[in-house]
Amino acid sequence: MILLCKRFNINLLRKISHKFGFTDTEIKVILFLLIALFVGASINFLKNRHGKDLLEYNYEKEDSLFRNIIFSDSINSEKYVNAKVDYQQELLDFSNKKLKEKAQRIRKDSLELININSANISEFISLPGIGEKTAAEIINYRNTHGAFKKIEDLLKIKGIGRAKFDKIKNRITIK
């Protein structure tokens, strides 16, 4: 960027920037954006000129090596001869089915009410904003003062304020 600015006449840039009311920094940002636009347009032009995606890789050579290995194993050769490899398959599966399953698991977990008078540390840790230390504080308070009479009694525990209590109040109960 600096080299580009030095290449152009700095005084000319300053005159233009003062004419339009831009600072030196704003001019540098504008030049950067123009260069980025030019580079992006160039890449797009090159991709379209060749008629295919430059980032797409053809795995035919690797497939043929794989098939040669399979042919050398006469027992399994028939099974894999016509196997097609989907080289455009994504590595991570973000299909709607997987996302829906995860959302259902989260909803199921969030619907379970935790009885604060009988919960263990791992159950307390599953609550948002409650860590190991706060869970131990809750259990310690419960052991010292007896069972909780109302869920608001959690506000008496060090480490649980109004904001944290508001996050967990819909997930806890007293039975």
Side-chain angles (χ1 to χ4, degrees), residues 12-27:
L12 178 64
L13 286 175
R14 286 197 175 126
K15 286 179 186 177
I16 293 171
S17 68
H18 289 298
K19 183 176 181 180
F20 290 106
F22 294 132
T23 64
D24 288 341
T25 305
E26 290 171 333
I27 285 294

Side-chain angles (χ1 to χ4, degrees), residues 55-101:
L55 300 177
E56 185 177 318
Y57 185 77
N58 188 353
Y59 287 94
E60 288 180 16
K61 182 178 178 182
E62 286 79 5
D63 288 347
S64 65
L65 292 173
F66 174 74
R67 288 187 184 109
N68 288 337
I69 292 171
I70 297 300
F71 277 127
S72 67
D73 183 10
S74 61
I75 297 171
N76 292 325
S77 63
E78 292 298 319
K79 184 177 179 182
Y80 297 107
V81 169
N82 294 322
K84 299 237 182 207
V85 177
D86 184 12
Y87 61 88
Q88 293 181 336
Q89 181 180 6
E90 297 210 326
L91 296 176
L92 300 174
D93 186 13
F94 292 112
S95 66
N96 285 338
K97 181 181 177 186
K98 294 277 186 184
L99 292 175
K100 286 178 184 176
E101 288 173 2

